[in-house]
Amino acid sequence: MFLQKPGMETGKMKKISEKDMIEQWVDKNRIRQYFDTPDLVFEAFQYEKGEMIISPEAKMDFLLFLIRGTVIVYSIQADGRMIPIHQENGSAVFGD
């Protein structure tokens, strides 16, 4: 699961609509500590195993917070091969 900036549309993710659940994740993972904006709204999305969350060509003007699961970061070679370069399990922050 990821919490991410509202309006982000990538992949075939499933939007999580339960606001109470999202607030629990935000509180449990102390996500508000990263921001100065007191009333910042978060959205949550669920991705399927193997689904690409963001591609190298996409502009990333948001932060992704891994709440649960595993993310593997790949390097895409000139010949199209994808080589795993990093793996995160549990809680992590991704962004440029």
Side-chain angles (χ1 to χ4, degrees):
M1 295 263 181
F2 275 98
L3 295 179
Q4 60 193 29
K5 180 179 172 183
M8 184 183 128
E9 296 182 12
T10 59
K12 297 176 183 175
M13 71 270 188
K14 175 186 169 191
K15 185 172 183 178
I16 307 299
S17 301
E18 295 85 8
K19 294 187 185 303
D20 290 340
M21 184 182 298
I22 294 169
E23 282 303 314
Q24 286 177 1
W25 290 332
V26 168
D27 291 343
K28 179 181 177 185
N29 293 280
R30 302 179 59 203
I31 291 174
R32 292 203 187 279
Q33 74 178 349
Y34 297 102
F35 304 96
D36 293 333
T37 307
D39 297 323
L40 194 58
V41 176
F42 293 90
E43 293 181 339
F45 296 85
Q46 180 175 348
Y47 293 85
E48 295 298 321
K49 183 175 182 175
E51 184 174 354
M52 185 177 293
I53 296 170
I54 188 93
S55 69
E57 300 85 24
K59 181 180 178 188
M60 192 169 176
D61 59 352
F62 46 83
L63 290 174
L64 296 172
F65 294 87
L66 176 64
I67 301 301
R68 181 175 64 222
T70 300
V71 170
I72 300 173
V73 179
Y74 291 89
S75 171
I76 302 175
Q77 305 299 300
D79 62 4
R81 289 180 300 131
M82 293 176 58
I83 299 172
I85 58 171
H86 187 72
Q87 180 174 321
E88 286 288 346
N89 299 299
S91 297
V93 179
F94 295 90
D96 287 341

